[in-house]
Amino acid sequence: MKSRVYYFIIFLSIIFLGILSRKISFIPLWIGDFLYAVMIYFLVRIFLPLKKAFLIALLSLLICYSIEFLQLYQAECIVELRKTLFGRYVLGQGFLWSDILAYTFGIAVASLIEKNSFKLYQSKV
């Protein structure tokens, strides 16, 4: 069984890759959104390490979609929060349907990789 430490290391690595993806100009912007979803998947996994991958994927999608749809809300306090580094990275800037697609793809890939790595781990034990 994988530990929370294992998921936390993956989580931190994804944050690093996501920030790096925004600093390298030839990497498409959707890669950052893809990695954001992968990061959310492993963040949820840290808190629920024993739950099935399907539930983790569902919760992760719900979080990502909620954050994306929250970008349609333009109250002054939220707009001001989005001007900060934290707000920009966590809440995003504006709603895009392409982000929804990138989140869906990212979480699907994360769950498939985890599922396949678990099978590989089980076959070696």
Side-chain angles (χ1 to χ4, degrees):
M1 178 179 22
K2 296 176 183 154
S3 70
R4 289 180 172 164
V5 173
Y6 171 81
Y7 292 122
F8 186 69
I9 291 168
I10 294 172
F11 171 77
L12 291 178
S13 300
I14 297 300
I15 289 173
F16 174 76
L17 289 173
I19 292 170
L20 188 64
S21 78
R22 296 294 187 186
K23 303 294 181 193
I24 300 173
S25 61
F26 65 85
I27 295 178
L29 284 177
W30 68 266
I31 295 294
D33 298 315
F34 170 89
L35 290 171
Y36 183 84
V38 174
M39 178 203 68
I40 294 293
Y41 180 90
F42 285 103
L43 179 63
V44 172
R45 182 52 91 186
I46 289 167
F47 290 101
L48 303 170
L50 302 177
K51 296 295 182 185
K52 293 188 182 284
F54 179 77
L55 178 63
I56 301 302
L58 197 60
L59 286 171
S60 301
L61 281 173
L62 180 63
I63 291 167
C64 288
Y65 290 175
S66 296
I67 291 170
E68 189 65 24
F69 280 101
L70 182 62
Q71 293 174 22
L72 294 171
Y73 183 65
Q74 296 295 317
E76 188 175 331
C77 61
I78 297 292
V79 171
E80 289 301 314
L81 182 59
R82 287 188 185 116
K83 291 179 182 177
T84 67
L85 184 64
F86 172 81
R88 200 168 41 252
Y89 279 138
V90 175
L91 299 176
Q93 298 288 38
F95 178 85
L96 294 171
W97 283 106
S98 60
D99 289 353
I100 297 289
L101 187 60
Y103 298 152
T104 305
F105 185 56
I107 288 169
V109 168
S111 62
L112 286 173
I113 288 172
E114 183 186 26
K115 185 177 178 180
N116 288 331
S117 70
F118 183 70
K119 283 182 183 178
L120 183 65
Y121 174 77
Q122 290 293 351
S123 68
K124 290 184 179 184
V125 174

